[in-house]
Amino acid sequence: MADSDKVWPTGLTLEEAEEVHSYLIDGTRVFGVIAAIAHVLVAVTTPWLG
Amino acid sequence: MFDYRSFAMRKLTALGPKYLPFVDVATAEVPLSRILRLSLFQVTVGMALVLLIGTLNRVMIVELDVPASLVAMMLALPLVFAPFRTLIGFRSDQHVSALGLRRVPYIWKGTMYQFGGFAIMPFSLLVLSGYAEAVDAPRWLGISSAALAFLLVGAGVHMVQTVGLALATDLVKEDDQPKVVGLMYAMLLLGMVVSALVFGALLQPYTPGRLIQVIQGAAVVTVALNLLALWKQEARDRERAQAMKTMRRQRFADAFAELMQAPGMKRLLFVIALGTFGFGMADVLLEPYGGQALGLSVASTTKLTALFASGTLLGFAYASWALDRAAQPGRISVLGTLLGIVGFAAIIASSLGAGVPAFLLGTALTGLGTGLFGHATLTATLRATQKDRVGLALGAWGAVQATAAGIGIALAGLVRDVIVGLDPGAGAGAGAGAAVETPYTIVFSIEILCLALACAVLLPVLKPRADETGQSQTGRALPDSRQTAVEVP
């Protein structure tokens, strides 16, 4: 267990912190795409954009 | 002098890991409450299934006026993903993660797909049906967005269920597996029953706005329950993370071939396909059959579902109890198929003059058989696998099971359409007479045939009673396990 590359305040190693971060990024991307599609569909269905 | 900086740092350090979704230390003993919490993912799976197969099936056809063939195609889309369960399970077995996580990332990803599908589904359905402004929308937009929504939900359900079951298997000792399998099945049933009632009540005065609220509400509930389910379930494990980097990497094809080489695995999957298909059509066809062939009212046919579900629950409970006492999964599966055969026979007999009591008895027996068979075959699958290939085995189980169940439901829908085609005024059933139960009887006979086949495939591999040791290292061959044995001629 390498202590040298731990990052604080979490005490995770750099690799672990990056992995946690990657989940966040992935989630943001997926939700962003979903939201974009949902908005397009709403715009088509309702007189929202005139 | 108070050192704010180090105080804040200390506080932050203490807080950090506490609010991350994994446990720091793997405990040997997982309390039942945690398994119960994990089983919540099955509730969301049940909810998705009911919404797709039950609620939306009706809403699309009746309220939204979408052509039935298009609806059937949309609902069949998630099935396309069923074979991928094997691959997903395998990928989670071989997942490389710095945190030492194998299952949780996949469950989370699956949850996101479920959420995404539900988020765009109501609007895509409204576009598909040409509601309001969407009248001038191009046709491909509605079709493609609805297809995307169904695909997303389907992919999410397959992922969450496969990997969730694998995680549950990881967490418990082999002795406790029957209990966990029973619990998971019971939660799936609970999710289906509760959400069917809730959706039915919420969509009572149907408006497009209400449809949007209900489906997107389902999306939020899905995320909430799945988060609750996977929170702090898998341990952060630096040693496992190291091991992951140096793990023996296997190609999927090789691993799959290895799984199929396992003794009895092919036979087991074949039996699961036959049995699931045999039992699969029952709950869809019982209600219309009761209404048309026996003239039962809508209110009393709804009670049928409750009867069927109670029988199924009883089956899970008994299978858990018996398998926990070293009964053979094979025997319990055979018992399930036999009960199913008797049940379907009684259901057929009910329209040939035996009347409603026979029908009710048949429904209860079929439910009981479904519970016993489902539980025993899943337990058998788990017992036949290696510890590091649980995901793959459960993926194979899920692929076979989901495909067989899907084909069964599709066939049931086909039968309904045939009946409607035969008799445009069907539904009253009073004047239709003898012709009305014929298609149903044919289907029930096919089911009996499938179950009999499954039974025949299983019988040769049942061990004689003498060495009733329960295959695994349980070694608790209690005398009362004898009572669970099926008399093999």
Side-chain angles (χ1 to χ4, degrees):
Chain A
M1 209 163 91
D3 266 15
S4 53
D5 58 358
K6 278 194 184 175
V7 286
W8 300 100
T10 53
L12 298 170
T13 65
L14 200 56
E15 256 186 348
E16 289 170 345
E18 278 176 0
E19 186 172 325
V20 173
H21 184 60
S22 77
Y23 295 138
L24 189 72
I25 295 290
D26 274 352
T28 310
R29 282 182 183 147
V30 173
F31 277 96
V33 171
I34 294 291
I37 296 172
H39 280 77
V40 168
L41 291 171
V42 175
V44 168
T45 319
T46 58
W48 167 46
L49 289 177
Chain B
M1 175 76 201
F2 184 62
D3 186 351
Y4 284 106
R5 215 176 142 165
S6 70
F7 174 76
M9 266 305 178
R10 261 207 317 279
K11 278 279 172 231
L12 273 176
T13 313
L15 283 184
K18 201 156 98 188
Y19 291 104
L20 288 170
F22 36 71
V23 247
D24 280 338
V25 194
T27 45
E29 273 300 312
V30 178
L32 186 68
S33 60
R34 220 173 101 185
I35 299 288
L36 204 59
R37 186 162 57 87
L38 175 61
S39 67
L40 285 175
F41 76 84
Q42 282 284 60
V43 174
T44 69
V45 169
M47 191 167 72
L49 290 178
V50 164
L51 195 60
L52 296 189
I53 296 166
T55 314
L56 285 183
N57 192 355
R58 184 213 132 86
V59 166
M60 283 162 87
I61 291 174
V62 178
E63 274 90 1
L64 293 174
D65 262 342
V66 180
S69 56
L70 193 59
V71 172
M73 212 176 67
M74 290 289 169
L75 294 180
L77 275 179
L79 266 191
V80 175
F81 271 117
F84 284 100
R85 278 180 179 237
T86 327
L87 186 62
I88 291 165
F90 174 70
R91 288 277 302 277
S92 80
D93 282 339
Q94 286 208 347
H95 188 63
V96 175
S97 144
L99 294 162
L101 303 176
R102 283 195 307 181
R103 315 292 189 197
V104 165
Y106 287 87
I107 301 180
W108 175 237
K109 221 174 261 177
T111 306
M112 280 204 293
Y113 292 152
Q114 266 178 295
F115 176 90
F118 283 143
I120 61 174
M121 191 176 285
F123 297 110
S124 62
L125 292 184
L126 292 178
V127 173
L128 183 72
S129 67
Y131 168 75
E133 301 277 314
V135 172
D136 335 321
R139 196 104 179 80
W140 60 265
L141 183 67
I143 291 178
S144 60
S145 59
L148 179 69
F150 281 102
L151 274 180
L152 280 171
V153 172
V157 163
H158 289 314
M159 253 174 135
V160 166
Q161 198 178 30
T162 303
V163 183
L165 285 173
L167 177 55
T169 313
D170 290 346
L171 288 179
V172 295
K173 296 196 301 294
E174 194 157 353
D175 288 1
D176 292 337
Q177 273 174 3
K179 285 186 208 141
V180 171
V181 169
L183 177 69
M184 293 291 157
Y185 258 121
M187 289 302 262
L188 178 67
L189 197 67
L190 181 83
M192 288 176 96
V193 170
V194 170
S195 48
L197 292 173
V198 170
F199 289 142
L202 287 178
L203 284 169
Q204 208 35 57
Y206 170 84
T207 59
R210 183 55 73 83
L211 178 73
I212 295 169
Q213 285 175 330
V214 167
I215 300 182
Q216 296 197 333
V220 174
V221 170
T222 297
V223 168
L225 284 182
N226 280 357
L227 255 182
L228 192 63
L230 62 79
W231 199 258
K232 304 263 185 208
Q233 292 286 10
E234 212 171 12
R236 202 174 100 210
D237 189 340
R238 289 198 168 125
E239 268 132 49
R240 186 155 80 180
Q242 289 304 324
M244 279 175 175
K245 285 181 187 165
T246 55
M247 196 170 35
R248 73 177 171 121
R249 315 291 300 163
Q250 212 179 359
R251 282 181 38 245
F252 171 68
D254 299 341
F256 188 72
E258 215 171 87
L259 177 75
M260 290 297 135
Q261 295 303 316
M265 188 50 103
K266 272 190 195 143
R267 185 185 291 262
L268 181 64
L269 291 176
F270 184 58
V271 166
I272 290 172
L274 280 174
T276 311
F277 178 74
F279 282 119
M281 291 181 272
D283 46 355
V284 185
L285 283 183
L286 283 178
E287 285 196 43
Y289 177 76
Q292 291 178 354
L294 299 172
L296 295 174
S297 67
V298 175
S300 53
T301 52
T302 315
K303 286 186 189 130
L304 276 184
T305 313
L307 185 66
F308 186 84
S310 314
T312 312
L313 266 180
L314 205 65
F316 295 150
Y318 178 75
S320 293
W321 179 86
L323 290 167
D324 205 37
R325 279 166 182 65
Q328 275 183 46
R331 281 190 197 285
I332 303 286
S333 313
V334 168
L335 180 64
T337 51
L338 289 177
L339 283 174
I341 292 170
V342 175
F344 283 124
I347 290 170
I348 292 176
S350 68
S351 65
L352 303 176
V356 177
F359 180 54
L360 296 180
L361 180 74
T363 305
L365 281 180
T366 314
L368 191 63
T370 306
L372 289 174
F373 181 83
H375 190 307
T377 45
L378 180 51
T379 307
T381 312
L382 287 180
R383 285 189 181 170
T385 55
Q386 314 161 6
K387 203 77 189 115
D388 62 340
R389 287 284 174 266
V390 168
L392 175 71
L394 280 168
W397 168 84
V400 169
Q401 211 248 5
T403 308
I407 293 172
I409 288 168
L411 193 64
L414 199 71
V415 170
R416 260 186 176 159
D417 290 351
V418 164
I419 293 163
V420 172
L422 280 181
D423 180 11
V436 95
E437 72 256 13
T438 313
Y440 289 116
T441 312
I442 292 170
V443 172
F444 290 140
S445 308
I446 293 173
E447 300 194 28
I448 289 182
L449 198 68
C450 283
L451 292 178
L453 265 176
C455 201
V457 173
L458 265 178
L459 277 180
V461 287
L462 287 185
K463 292 196 183 70
R465 280 164 175 236
D467 60 328
E468 183 90 61
T469 50
Q471 303 182 25
S472 63
Q473 69 300 349
T474 47
R476 290 179 295 159
L478 300 180
D480 59 356
S481 66
R482 295 291 156 83
Q483 296 159 15
T484 69
V486 180
E487 288 297 334
V488 185

